[in-house]
Amino acid sequence: MRAHEAGALHGNDAAPTWLPYPQDVNALLEGLWSDTTRRGDDGALITGGMSVHDIARQVGTPVFVVDELDFRTRAARFREAFGRAFADLSGADVYYAGKAFLSTAVARWMEEEGLGLDVCTGGELAVALRAGFPTERIAMHGNNKSVSEIRRALEAGVGRIVVDSLDEIDLVASIATELGVRAPVMLRVTTGVEAHTHEFIATAHEDQKFGISVTAGDAFEAVRRVLDRSGQLELIGLHSHIGSQIFDVGGFDVAARRVLGLVAEVRDQLGHTITALDLGGGFGVMYNSQHSPSTPERLAAGIAHIIAQQCAALELPIPHCSFEPGRAIAGPSTHTVYSVGTVKDVHLGGPHHRVYVSVDGGMSDNVRTALYDADYSCLLAGRTSEAAPEVVRVVGKHCESGDIVVKDEYLPADVERGDLISVPVTGAYCYSLASNYNHVPRPAVVSVRSGELTVMMRRETEEDLLGLDMG
């Protein structure tokens, strides 16, 4: 568990330097909440026309509340932005990265909004197939695909299998031969560039489980092997993913130069022109006041300029491009509503103390704080308050000292048992990373739109948990 920025004994009387004192502790910080989220006349949060009180009464807490209109709008905005930016080049497609959060409803939304779907396991593929998602618009990822996963993907007719290793080339080719089909493949290549927020580092990132190295020459060999198996494999193009929480296009500049350098090498030495690139996703979102994410329009325009410039320098035809946003679509569309239980003021010696606000969820529904040291925000959701703001730490109910949901945030000093609080931007990598730690059932996920609530994922029960126990 991370030490407090101001020292081990410094509690809620000193906020982190990045956390501003709120002028209004009841206000919704712009950028953290979905488009339809606001406060009602009684002070309670309303999303999609529904009050958090009504949602909690219908399905209980904790509950992930998905703003369907916001989710769809973000997806359509990415599709439109990249479509416009690449319209005068060779066009662009957008695939929703299902690992952020996937359900049959989400898959159907993405189909209706004109996006493709990126899946990375047999389970995610099963959700897509159950939703009736057009298989030609599915991309199948994974660094260790099983024989059964590859076979199922080929039998279903997915549009591309993203091959992650030299070994997998032979595996996919053998399964394609067995099935009597020609497998459409992209090669995932690593460029030595990893982007994280505003920084990118061009060295020391070959040591990872994903992809085939460009700088080591393995990627060129992979292209050659795929072309040699043209009867079983169709080379769709190259795939490159540089990281997550990307707020600008700097990392794409270096990555595109290296990937397009490989394209030129293949053209010059093998006489083959690669006509498609997938540059991944990882576009960042705002989790709190520290973050200033870019817009789809700026990202699309910046990357299109980079691709056009690099292709001109290498005298290459501009490839058709595709992108895979997940977090940037799902994350801000959702907030998690919790009920407050114990509120504990812990005195740490002298004037120092910390207020712990315990909620009925925790690291089983949002492990990112413990796993990635992530910083979230929160808000008193069921009412407004005239009490002074006080820095609190929101923690879960699990038997774990690192079970922290929000490390530092201002809440009204009168927060008490029975209150509802909401944590915004929990649509990505929260439910999808959820667990049953301490045998806590996973929470419900609901979508709200125009005053109507739809259960997307029902709340697990103790019967669900005990049903797996064969003892």
Side-chain angles (χ1 to χ4, degrees):
M1 186 170 66
R2 187 190 69 169
H4 195 278
E5 288 87 343
L9 295 181
H10 219 76
N12 74 327
D13 47 341
T17 56
W18 59 265
L19 182 64
Y21 187 85
Q23 297 302 310
D24 180 2
V25 74
N26 301 299
L28 279 67
L29 183 61
E30 185 177 357
L32 285 185
W33 302 89
S34 70
D35 283 345
T36 72
T37 300
R38 59 180 179 83
R39 285 205 184 269
D41 293 338
D42 63 351
L45 286 188
I46 295 175
T47 299
M50 288 204 67
S51 165
V52 291
H53 289 299
D54 292 333
I55 295 170
R57 276 193 290 267
Q58 288 191 40
V59 297
T61 60
V63 56
F64 290 94
V65 180
V66 183
D67 185 335
E68 179 186 343
L69 185 59
D70 184 272
F71 200 115
R72 287 177 175 268
T73 299
R74 291 178 191 276
R77 187 176 173 188
F78 269 99
R79 175 181 53 76
E80 292 166 0
F82 279 91
R84 283 193 301 268
F86 283 81
D88 295 331
L89 304 178
S90 292
D93 297 318
V94 173
Y95 287 69
Y96 171 67
K99 65 179 182 175
F101 171 65
L102 186 62
S103 70
T104 54
V106 166
R108 291 178 185 130
W109 294 350
M110 295 303 95
E111 178 192 358
E112 292 166 3
E113 298 302 332
L115 277 70
L117 183 60
D118 162 28
V119 301
C120 57
T121 66
E124 289 182 356
L125 177 60
V127 173
L129 296 177
R130 182 180 184 185
F133 197 91
T135 55
E136 70 275 8
R137 285 159 52 188
I138 295 176
M140 180 72 179
H141 277 266
N143 70 295
N144 186 31
K145 305 177 196 69
S146 68
V147 170
S148 62
E149 287 174 327
I150 295 170
R151 181 179 291 114
R152 188 177 191 185
L154 290 176
E155 289 175 339
V158 300
R160 58 180 67 166
I161 294 179
V162 182
V163 170
D164 198 82
S165 65
L166 293 172
D167 173 72
E168 196 172 74
I169 295 172
D170 296 330
L171 181 60
V172 174
S174 67
I175 298 171
T177 299
E178 172 193 329
L179 296 176
V181 300
R182 191 167 180 236
V185 301
M186 295 191 98
L187 294 171
R188 178 163 178 171
V189 301
T190 55
T191 60
V193 177
E194 180 178 335
H196 182 72
T197 66
H198 290 286
E199 299 176 359
F200 63 91
I201 302 172
T203 59
H205 292 289
E206 298 290 351
D207 187 8
Q208 59 165 308
K209 72 174 186 175
F210 291 111
I212 307 167
S213 174
V214 171
T215 56
D218 293 339
F220 179 85
E221 172 62 15
V223 172
R224 187 191 64 76
R225 292 190 189 184
V226 171
L227 294 177
D228 284 347
R229 291 163 175 77
S230 59
Q232 300 83 36
L233 305 176
E234 177 190 2
L235 182 59
I236 299 296
L238 302 178
H239 183 286
S240 170
H241 179 70
I242 61 173
S244 60
Q245 272 295 81
I246 300 168
F247 290 165
D248 57 43
V249 299
F252 286 102
D253 194 354
V254 180
R257 186 182 310 127
R258 294 181 182 176
V259 174
L260 289 169
L262 174 60
V263 173
E265 184 182 6
V266 169
R267 175 200 60 189
D268 296 340
Q269 297 191 33
L270 300 179
H272 178 83
T273 299
I274 293 172
T275 59
L277 294 183
D278 188 321
L279 293 176
F283 307 123
V285 299
M286 179 180 181
Y287 284 108
N288 52 54
S289 57
Q290 298 177 90
H291 302 141
S292 300
S294 188
T295 66
E297 293 77 16
R298 288 198 298 268
L299 290 166
I303 297 172
H305 174 74
I306 289 168
I307 295 296
Q309 188 178 53
Q310 293 298 329
C311 285
L314 293 168
E315 298 182 347
L316 286 170
I318 296 174
H320 183 84
C321 292
S322 49
F323 301 88
E324 299 168 353
R327 182 198 315 266
I329 293 172
S333 73
T334 301
H335 63 97
T336 307
V337 181
Y338 298 99
S339 294
V340 173
T342 300
V343 179
K344 184 184 296 184
D345 193 345
V346 178
H347 293 272
L348 305 174
H352 306 302
H353 68 118
R354 190 190 306 281
V355 174
Y356 284 88
V357 176
S358 299
V359 296
D360 54 352
M363 66 192 304
S364 61
D365 58 73
N366 188 351
V367 74
R368 293 190 70 254
T369 305
L371 190 62
Y372 299 127
D373 202 30
D375 286 303
Y376 280 88
S377 178
C378 64
L379 198 68
L380 187 63
R383 62 183 176 90
T384 55
S385 171
E386 297 300 320
E390 182 169 40
V391 178
V392 305
R393 176 161 289 175
V394 179
V395 296
K397 63 182 293 179
H398 299 282
C399 190
E400 190 79 38
S401 60
D403 180 23
I404 298 171
V405 180
V406 181
K407 286 179 287 194
D408 299 286
E409 184 55 282
Y410 285 98
L411 287 180
D414 64 351
V415 62
E416 62 183 2
R417 178 181 291 273
D419 275 330
L420 297 178
I421 66 171
S422 281
V423 177
V425 200
T426 55
Y429 305 108
C430 290
Y431 189 88
S432 62
L433 284 169
S435 73
N436 292 125
Y437 184 44
N438 289 153
H439 278 62
V440 173
R442 289 178 178 85
V445 183
V446 303
S447 63
V448 288
R449 181 172 182 174
S450 303
E452 294 187 2
L453 178 150
T454 302
V455 176
M456 301 172 72
M457 308 291 290
R458 69 165 174 82
R459 185 179 309 282
E460 284 184 334
T461 65
E462 290 182 356
E463 287 72 24
D464 292 324
L465 301 182
L466 294 173
L468 298 175
D469 188 337
M470 305 305 291

